[in-house]
Amino acid sequence: MKDEKTVIEDVNREFYDFRFEEGDDVFRVSEGLTEAIVSEISREKNDPDWMREFRLRSLEIYKRTDMPDWGPPIDGLNMDNIVTYVRPNAGMKASWEDVPDDIKTTFERLGIPEAERKSLAGVGAQYDSELVYHNVKKEVAEKGVIYTDIESALHGEYGEMIRAHFMKLVPPQDHKFAALHGAVWSGGSFVYVPRGVSVEIPLQSYFRLNAPGAGQFEHTLIIVDEGADLHFIEGCSAPKYNVANLHAGCVELFVGRNARLRYSTIENWSKNMYNLNTKRALVEEGGKIEWVSGSFGSHTSYLYPMSILNGRGARSEFTGITFAGHGQNLDTGCKIVHNAPETSSYVNTRSISKSGGISTFRSSVVVNKNAENSKSSVSCQSLMVDSESRSDTIPAMDIKTDKADIGHEAKIGRISDDAVFYLMSRGLSEENAKALIVSGFAENVSKELPLEYAVEMNNLIRIEMKGAIG
Amino acid sequence: MEEKLLVIKNLRSGLEDKEILKGIDLEIGKGETHVIMGPNGAGKSTLGNVIMGNPVYTVTAGTAEYCGEDLFEMSVSERAKKGIFMSFQNPIEVPGISLENFLRSASEEVTGERVRIWPFHKEIEKNLGILDMDGAYADRDLNVGFSGGEKKKAEILQLMMLKPKLAILDETDSGLDVDAVKTVSGGIREYQKDADASLLIITHNAAILESLRVDKVHVIVDGRIVETKGPELIDEIVKDGFAKYEEQGE
Ligand SMILES: Nc1ncnc2c1ncn2[C@@H]1O[C@H](COP(=O)(O)OP(=O)(O)OP(=O)(O)O)[C@@H](O)[C@H]1O
Ligand SMILES: [Mg+2]
């Protein structure tokens, strides 16, 4: 099965697509997503029947659901021609020459190896990451941990488990892009950590980024069983470039009784990307979800990881950072539903906007009637690097019991000229002074990350800060 | 003839719509310590800031040579690299970077050389000792949550670590308790030990000067230097205040 995803197969398919399309380009131009296309995807992926039906049902929902109208504008997405996002044709494939210069420069600055650069940009051969992936897999497999791509897991002994969980937390009815995801999802990871097992090393989807279709509609499904413990790291700091500039991934996390899952992400999409991602965790009694989230890049982002605290004493911790630079509108935040007594949530975020970038932080805390003696504390801080940039915080709270302890704090500030002058008077250039202030501001997030990621994130901040000055 | 470090002639400077410094002449030689006194709002801090290069103030007339070069052509960080330092009247809090890490990067910027971590750390510890501060301050975020007095001490620590050629101390003694004034004064004395180290001390208070060698004292009133004398002027001012100069100014 895996062998189908080799370089040669890919090239062949493109070639085939190209010939196939020669005659009916005109017909395709303003075509919506059809049953035929979704069925074809399903056939290619060798889906089990239930999955094919699921895709088609999602397609129906997709068709009758309206576009979201409450967030940053997404009219840049041409929904009449959604096919070009779902199935970029051969003619649309970029060549290395077409990859924007800023991305190439970032690759260089991050020291990404040549071979990997092209692959990250979606224009080169597949980066051979399977080897690393296999080693990790072997190590954890000894403990009974399943860590695999989701397509092959569908057919294995965990097929039923996937069926029982797949898009149950994020149903296709949720919003238009969840429905789209349900219809055309492709790639992603499946992790199952059995009862009582602690996975010592973080599992990293970094190595798997370059699977075909991954990084666009990928699905991540993680089940951490009772008393088990896992740290999963998604993404990497290299900007992912894709001519099809829509990302509608989905992450579903199931945290069992007294289990713990830490889910860390650094996303750095290319600056043409519409990132409409949905992430959700369900936490049982005494369990804990810890989100660490760094959002960089993209043209427009909608990203609000949600935690549903469903059992007594369940906890959620969210630490996030968002960096919106020139031309970017990043709408991020998080949602928490307290749905059992003695649950607690803790949110701590930083957002940075620069050179006209817009960053909006939305938080939503719901405390249901049954969630007595629950606690929630939300703190968000925004920093504007200059006066052209914008920052907003939009808190929402719905507290249905008196017996809850709820706190919210928001601060919005601008880098003061005095602070820059102070640091410059100690020998730092203006650029370095501002970068120092920004990385200091971000420090509470970077310290949550494993060292090498923290270093990468600081690098990213430095890179984003370059050119902050006229 | 002794070498001049800083020569300021007829300096006029201020905000867009408000002239604050109205023709300042000031010469500081290598290794000299100058004191500036004057009533509140006279322009003392402004003078320090203009020498350091604070972009808030525009220079409208006059010249300044530092080590024979045009001071006003240099950016703030160039000035720092060429050995100018200012201890701020209100030091800024910078979360997310420890005092020690900050001092290390600043030191690398100023010297252009890599700092060796361990000897540098030892030196910080020693200097914190001189300033009667716990070693733990080195790990705390730069000025964050420091008390008023601790901030001032941390500025002197920076002075001791960065070893500038010209240090401007803007009311470093204000807000310090009696003992802390002595301690800080001790830190400044350490810095003075280097024969080439020059100082421009802005103060309202004689106590910090007691144990320091002072070469010249200037009185600024309403943006002008109205008197320059030897250290004996300090006692006169402490006794009589600025009344006689203020009348003169009118
Ligand atoms: N950034 C500024 N904005 C507005 N006014 C200013 C600014 N800087 C200085 N001034 C004004 O210029 C005058 C001189 O201020 P400066 O701070 O230099 O006084 P000073 O001699 O240091 O006084 P003090 O002894 O109180 O510290 C004051 O009237 C002050 O209000
Ligand atoms: Mg002052």
Side-chain angles (χ1 to χ4, degrees):
Chain A
M1 191 99 328
K2 227 164 237 130
D3 292 347
E4 270 179 29
K5 292 180 195 161
T6 59
V7 182
I8 295 166
E9 281 286 327
D10 254 23
V11 172
N12 271 348
R13 206 199 63 213
E14 274 168 30
F15 187 59
Y16 171 76
D17 276 355
F18 178 65
R19 297 234 293 211
F20 179 74
E21 278 173 11
E22 245 178 0
D24 56 16
D25 254 8
V26 188
F27 171 68
R28 279 217 167 190
V29 165
S30 72
E31 197 180 26
L33 198 54
T34 61
E35 255 184 56
I37 293 169
V38 171
S39 302
E40 193 187 322
I41 292 173
S42 186
R43 204 165 33 248
E44 269 171 26
K45 297 200 147 297
N46 195 16
D47 277 343
D49 289 347
W50 72 264
M51 184 55 83
R52 193 185 62 249
E53 282 154 26
F54 185 89
R55 286 183 189 275
L56 292 171
R57 240 182 304 131
S58 299
L59 175 66
E60 283 312 306
I61 297 165
Y62 167 79
K63 283 182 176 162
R64 61 166 195 260
T65 309
D66 291 330
M67 292 282 272
D69 59 359
W70 45 268
I74 43 176
D75 1 311
L77 279 175
N78 181 356
M79 298 309 277
D80 289 338
N81 206 1
I82 187 71
V83 178
T84 55
Y85 297 107
V86 175
R87 312 232 79 184
N89 61 36
M92 261 185 80
K93 273 263 164 151
S95 68
W96 181 243
E97 283 67 45
D98 298 330
V99 175
D101 283 342
D102 61 325
I103 290 188
K104 290 182 183 167
T105 319
T106 308
F107 284 154
E108 272 159 38
R109 288 185 182 155
L110 286 169
I112 308 274
E114 200 76 35
E116 206 178 336
R117 282 184 208 172
K118 293 202 169 170
S119 151
L120 282 164
V123 298
Q126 298 299 320
Y127 176 56
D128 189 9
S129 53
E130 287 292 311
L131 254 179
V132 191
Y133 169 54
H134 272 304
N135 287 340
V136 175
K137 202 167 105 165
K138 211 176 126 220
E139 202 174 320
V140 295
E142 281 158 15
K143 296 180 154 190
V145 175
I146 308 298
Y147 176 37
T148 176
D149 67 277
I150 200 156
E151 278 96 342
S152 49
L154 268 177
H155 296 282
E157 64 176 305
Y158 289 88
E160 273 313 302
M161 188 183 262
I162 292 177
R163 184 176 183 174
H165 292 87
F166 187 89
M167 291 197 85
K168 288 293 193 306
L169 261 185
V170 182
Q173 290 84 352
D174 221 65
H175 56 84
K176 192 169 185 80
F177 293 94
L180 178 64
H181 179 92
V184 303
W185 74 270
S186 168
S189 307
F190 170 66
V191 182
Y192 172 68
V193 186
R195 217 175 252 231
V197 171
S198 277
V199 183
E200 261 103 50
I201 46 161
L203 295 186
Q204 318 195 14
S205 70
Y206 176 92
F207 303 116
R208 317 208 44 244
L209 266 182
N210 308 309
Q216 209 190 344
F217 298 106
E218 86 285 3
H219 195 95
T220 306
L221 176 58
I222 299 180
I223 300 170
V224 185
D225 215 330
E226 199 174 324
D229 191 298
L230 173 71
H231 183 185
F232 189 86
I233 300 174
E234 171 203 322
C236 76
S237 60
K240 283 167 261 172
Y241 181 70
N242 201 328
V243 268
N245 57 345
L246 168 63
H247 175 240
C250 180
V251 174
E252 297 183 288
L253 311 174
F254 293 85
V255 183
R257 284 182 57 192
N258 300 321
R260 184 191 78 126
L261 170 58
R262 168 172 282 231
Y263 192 85
S264 304
T265 317
I266 301 183
E267 292 182 57
N268 185 17
W269 300 99
S270 59
K271 305 260 159 86
N272 65 339
M273 182 65 85
Y274 287 83
N275 180 29
L276 309 162
N277 216 358
T278 312
K279 302 183 181 186
R280 209 159 284 177
L282 182 72
V283 189
E284 304 295 350
E285 186 177 328
K288 186 177 186 197
I289 176 78
E290 301 168 3
W291 303 93
V292 181
S293 173
S295 301
F296 293 80
S298 86
H299 177 275
T300 301
S301 274
Y302 283 58
L303 181 64
Y304 325 96
M306 176 175 182
S307 311
I308 302 165
L309 305 176
N310 220 32
R312 184 181 288 272
R315 288 175 295 163
S316 162
E317 244 178 58
F318 183 91
T319 315
I321 183 158
T322 300
F323 195 124
H326 178 71
Q328 294 181 263
N329 190 339
L330 306 191
D331 206 279
T332 60
C334 71
K335 302 184 197 175
I336 297 125
V337 179
H338 292 259
N339 199 33
E342 290 158 35
T343 50
S344 66
S345 61
Y346 175 77
V347 176
N348 188 4
T349 66
R350 300 282 188 272
S351 46
I352 297 152
S353 51
K354 193 206 96 188
S355 306
I358 304 172
S359 91
T360 306
F361 179 80
R362 288 174 209 264
S363 64
S364 150
V365 176
V366 176
V367 180
N368 284 334
K369 225 178 170 132
N370 60 346
E372 288 180 351
N373 303 319
S374 289
K375 273 192 225 146
S376 169
S377 149
V378 177
S379 153
C380 45
Q381 296 187 19
S382 311
L383 184 69
M384 290 172 281
V385 173
D386 47 50
S387 50
E388 318 155 67
S389 307
R390 271 175 43 202
S391 249
D392 257 321
T393 55
I394 307 178
M397 286 190 192
D398 183 5
I399 317 297
K400 299 186 175 107
T401 168
D402 302 337
K403 294 189 191 155
D405 179 0
I406 311 297
H408 180 272
E409 178 197 41
K411 282 192 204 148
I412 298 186
R414 189 161 280 150
I415 292 190
S416 77
D417 294 340
D418 286 347
V420 174
F421 172 58
Y422 181 68
L423 296 177
M424 286 180 76
S425 80
R426 302 301 188 247
L428 277 66
S429 66
E430 181 171 355
E431 191 176 286
N432 286 346
K434 288 189 173 176
L436 183 93
I437 294 169
V438 170
S439 40
F441 177 77
E443 196 244 9
N444 85 312
V445 176
S446 42
K447 75 173 187 234
E448 295 293 323
L449 294 166
L451 187 65
E452 70 270 26
Y453 279 81
V455 170
E456 280 189 30
M457 199 169 93
N458 274 328
N459 270 345
L460 263 185
I461 289 175
R462 288 202 164 259
I463 290 167
E464 293 291 338
M465 287 303 294
K466 284 219 189 273
I469 298 125
Chain B
M1 208 188 88
E2 89 234 62
E3 257 184 284
K4 288 296 167 203
L5 184 64
L6 179 68
V7 180
I8 294 177
K9 287 190 180 140
N10 187 34
L11 169 64
R12 286 173 176 269
S13 175
L15 308 164
E16 291 274 282
D17 52 350
K18 183 184 176 191
E19 183 166 68
I20 301 172
L21 302 178
K22 302 169 180 170
I24 297 272
D25 295 292
L26 178 68
E27 291 194 3
I28 300 178
K30 271 194 187 149
E32 288 179 0
T33 296
H34 289 231
V35 170
I36 294 203
M37 301 183 94
N40 294 129
K44 303 181 298 297
S45 295
T46 304
L47 177 61
N49 273 273
V50 170
I51 297 173
M52 193 72 246
N54 191 336
V56 168
Y57 304 102
T58 327
V59 173
T60 48
T63 57
E65 278 194 1
Y66 173 76
C67 295
E69 291 178 72
D70 186 349
L71 179 70
F72 299 139
E73 285 295 308
M74 302 174 197
S75 72
V76 180
S77 35
E78 274 176 78
R79 295 177 201 204
K81 285 178 180 153
K82 292 190 166 151
I84 304 181
F85 174 93
M86 179 163 83
S87 153
F88 281 51
Q89 195 169 352
N90 302 301
I92 310 289
E93 303 193 1
V94 186
I97 180 153
S98 71
L99 176 56
E100 176 159 350
N101 286 342
F102 171 68
L103 271 174
R104 217 167 39 225
S105 1
S107 193
E108 288 183 345
E109 293 276 4
V110 167
T111 59
E113 283 165 20
R114 280 208 78 78
V115 162
R116 290 172 57 218
I117 295 183
W118 186 244
F120 194 79
H121 177 76
K122 280 291 169 201
E123 197 181 341
I124 288 189
E125 274 192 341
K126 188 193 92 194
N127 288 333
L128 279 171
I130 292 173
L131 294 169
D132 195 21
M133 281 174 101
D134 196 287
Y137 282 91
D139 293 329
R140 283 180 54 177
D141 284 4
L142 180 58
N143 296 330
V144 176
F146 285 23
S147 75
E150 287 164 351
K151 281 183 185 161
K152 296 300 178 69
K153 285 186 173 182
E155 292 286 284
I156 298 305
L157 175 72
Q158 295 194 31
L159 166 74
M160 295 166 88
M161 296 304 297
L162 298 177
K163 304 180 187 70
K165 291 195 185 118
L166 171 65
I168 305 160
L169 308 185
D170 191 357
E171 294 197 30
T172 300
D173 49 350
S174 71
L176 293 180
D177 66 45
V178 188
D179 296 330
V181 170
K182 290 209 180 87
T183 321
V184 160
S185 185
I188 300 170
R189 216 166 41 239
E190 278 292 310
Y191 167 72
Q192 260 190 340
K193 278 185 185 162
D194 178 349
D196 274 349
S198 309
L199 276 162
L200 183 64
I201 302 177
I202 300 169
T203 184
H204 291 295
N205 206 321
I208 192 157
L209 303 172
E210 267 164 24
S211 62
L212 297 178
R213 174 177 48 76
V214 172
D215 298 295
K216 280 193 180 138
V217 181
H218 312 270
V219 176
I220 294 194
V221 175
D222 192 24
R224 293 183 186 88
I225 295 187
V226 295
E227 177 82 285
T228 298
K229 275 193 188 173
E232 69 278 8
L233 186 53
I234 301 166
D235 292 333
E236 284 176 35
I237 288 168
V238 170
K239 208 164 95 232
D240 303 332
F242 300 110
K244 100 177 181 203
Y245 302 112
E246 279 173 323
E247 279 157 26
Q248 217 178 60
E250 272 156 27

